[in-house]
Structure formats: C-alpha cells, structure tokens
C-alpha cells in the first residue's frame, strides 16, 4: 500500500487534482448546454462561479494548516494549482457578469462598478488576485526574490476579506447571511491559526534569545 507521501508524489496525483478542480466548471457547462441551470441561467452561472471562487480561496488557505498539522509537506505541491483555479473561477465569474448581465457594454459595466459598492469590492478582489496569478511561476519567484514574492502573496489574506465583504453585501439585499457566516467562520479559523502560529514562533524566538543571552 502506498504511503500518504508517495501517493501525493505519484505522477497521477496532479492530473487527478486538476480534473477535480475542473468538475464545477464541467458541471456548469453541462447545465448550460442542457438547459438545467434553472429559471435564470445567467444568475445561476454568476452566483455559482462566485461561490466557487470563495471556496477555492478557503481551500488555498487550508493547504498550510493541513500540511503542518498532518505533517504532510508534499501537500504544498498542489497550492499553486489551487491558487490558479481560484483565479480561473473569478475570471469566469467576471466574464459571466460582463457578458450575461451587461452584454459586454464597457461603459455600462464601469458605471455599475462605481454605482454598486459590492461590485466595486468584488472587482477590487479580482484586481488583487491578478498579480498573484501572474507571479505563480518559478521564473517570477526567481525574478522577484522569495521574500518579496511571499510578501506579495500575503495579499490572499486581504482578498479573502474582500471576497467575504462582496458576498455579505450581495446577500444583504435579501437579508440572507447563513452561507456568509459559514464562509466567514472558515476564513476566521484559517487566519486565526496563522496568527496563533505567528505568536507561537515569536514567543519561541524570544525564549531562545533569552537563553542565548544567559550563556
């Protein structure tokens, strides 16, 4: 039986994860082709792709805690792909809105973004995700340097907050916050774990420095 590490390092593991990430897209594409997206297919597409963007943000944030807690460093090899799928779904979300809701009428889209704050926040999330997607490659990391690259990619924390705000504002019109609270709880838990790890490392560093000064 293959160990967990060997299974994750297997040549087929990345193609399998890739296909799993594409399943929501295939499902929506099939639904659109067979007219199974409900009475308002445009709204279904826009909302579903927005939901999947938020879900992928949560999945990306989950990789590091899962890697550390389960002591499975090989999980990190999937993070780049998952991050790029976050961008894939946000691009489809934006295209669905621009095409199906606004007919690619650029002046109308700009007017709508300025007029409606929740769309402005969503568009800002897309803009912040763009440099992360464009610098997801080894050459970009080498060019930028690891520290600057890591600093830039910490934007995902800001993006997760903006994504939640976008979702909250959208649901505010119908006073329906149940799903918003679920996502907010997951993001708070994942960011809280990072904060806890940061504080723990700081304390350990202080203790080590204190011990060294006594030698």
């Amino acid at each position: 039986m293959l160990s967990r590490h060997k299974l994750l390092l297997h040549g087929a593991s990345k193609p399998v994860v890739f296909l799993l990430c594409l399943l929501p897209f295939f499902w929506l594409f099939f639904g659109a082709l067979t007219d199974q997206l409900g009475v308002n297919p445009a709204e279904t597409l826009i909302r579903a792709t927005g939901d999947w963007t938020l879900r992928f943000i949560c999945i990306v944030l989950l990789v590091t805690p899962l890697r550390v807690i389960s002591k499975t460093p090989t999980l990190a090899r999937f993070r780049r792909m998952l991050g790029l799928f976050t961008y894939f779904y946000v691009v489809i979300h934006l295209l669905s809105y621009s095409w199906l809701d606004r007919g690619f009428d650029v002046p109308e889209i700009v007017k709508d973004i300025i007029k409606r704050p929740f769309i402005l926040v969503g568009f800002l999330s897309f803009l912040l995700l763009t440099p992360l997607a464009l610098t997801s490659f080894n050459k970009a990391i080498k060019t930028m340097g690891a520290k600057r690259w890591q600093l830039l990619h910490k934007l995902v924390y800001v993006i997760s907050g903006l994504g939640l705000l976008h979702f909250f504002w959208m649901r505010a019109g119908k006073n329906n916050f149940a799903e918003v609270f679920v996502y907010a709880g997951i993001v708070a838990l994942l960011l809280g774990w990072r904060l806890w790890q940061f504080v723990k490392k700081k304390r350990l560093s202080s203790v080590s420095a204190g011990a060294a000064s006594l030698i």
Side-chain angles (χ1 to χ4, degrees):
M1 187 176 175
L2 286 174
S3 70
R4 187 172 57 211
H5 293 286
K6 283 184 179 176
L7 194 65
L8 292 171
L9 286 170
H10 194 279
S13 61
K14 278 196 172 181
V16 168
V17 172
F18 185 86
L19 288 174
L20 286 173
C21 291
L22 273 178
L23 278 180
F25 172 76
F26 285 142
W27 180 253
L28 289 169
F29 188 69
F30 176 76
L33 282 180
T34 55
D35 197 21
Q36 294 184 47
L37 294 181
V39 292
N40 191 339
E43 187 177 327
T44 301
L45 273 175
I46 294 168
R47 291 195 175 186
T49 50
D51 287 346
W52 277 106
T53 302
L54 201 48
R55 285 168 193 159
F56 269 95
I57 288 174
C58 292
I59 292 169
V60 169
L61 290 175
L62 179 64
V63 171
T64 298
L66 200 59
R67 177 172 60 82
V68 173
I69 294 167
S70 67
K71 297 179 181 174
T72 313
T74 40
L75 279 172
R77 67 195 297 261
F78 301 98
R79 188 166 46 199
R80 181 185 308 181
M81 186 196 300
L82 295 169
L84 286 172
F85 266 105
T86 306
Y87 193 66
F88 173 73
Y89 281 103
V90 80
V91 167
I92 297 178
H93 182 56
L94 181 62
L95 284 175
S96 300
Y97 157 76
S98 302
W99 176 30
L100 303 173
D101 198 47
R102 296 291 149 183
F104 283 133
D105 186 335
V106 176
E108 188 63 28
I109 292 169
V110 172
K111 189 178 170 185
D112 202 33
I113 289 173
I114 296 169
K115 184 181 173 185
R116 296 202 282 177
F118 92 92
I119 294 182
L120 178 64
V121 168
F123 188 66
L124 183 58
S125 302
F126 162 74
L127 291 179
L128 292 177
L129 266 171
T130 299
L132 305 197
L134 293 177
T135 58
S136 290
F137 305 96
N138 291 338
K139 194 174 179 180
I141 300 170
K142 194 175 178 182
T143 304
M144 291 178 67
K147 281 190 177 178
R148 274 186 287 183
W149 184 87
Q150 284 174 353
L151 190 63
L152 175 68
H153 280 251
K154 286 188 189 303
L155 276 177
V156 70
Y157 306 144
V158 179
I159 292 163
S160 63
L162 290 174
L164 283 172
L165 182 59
H166 173 68
F167 194 35
F168 172 84
W169 240 327
M170 190 196 75
R171 287 297 177 88
K174 294 183 178 177
N175 203 27
N176 178 5
F177 301 111
E179 280 185 80
V180 180
F181 291 149
V182 171
Y183 285 113
I186 293 169
V187 170
L189 191 67
L190 295 171
L191 295 186
W193 180 87
R194 283 169 167 78
L195 182 62
W196 175 59
Q197 289 290 308
F198 176 77
V199 171
K200 197 165 77 170
K201 279 183 184 176
K202 280 283 181 188
R203 282 181 181 169
L204 283 173
S205 298
S206 299
V207 171
S208 299
S213 68
L214 292 173
I215 297 172

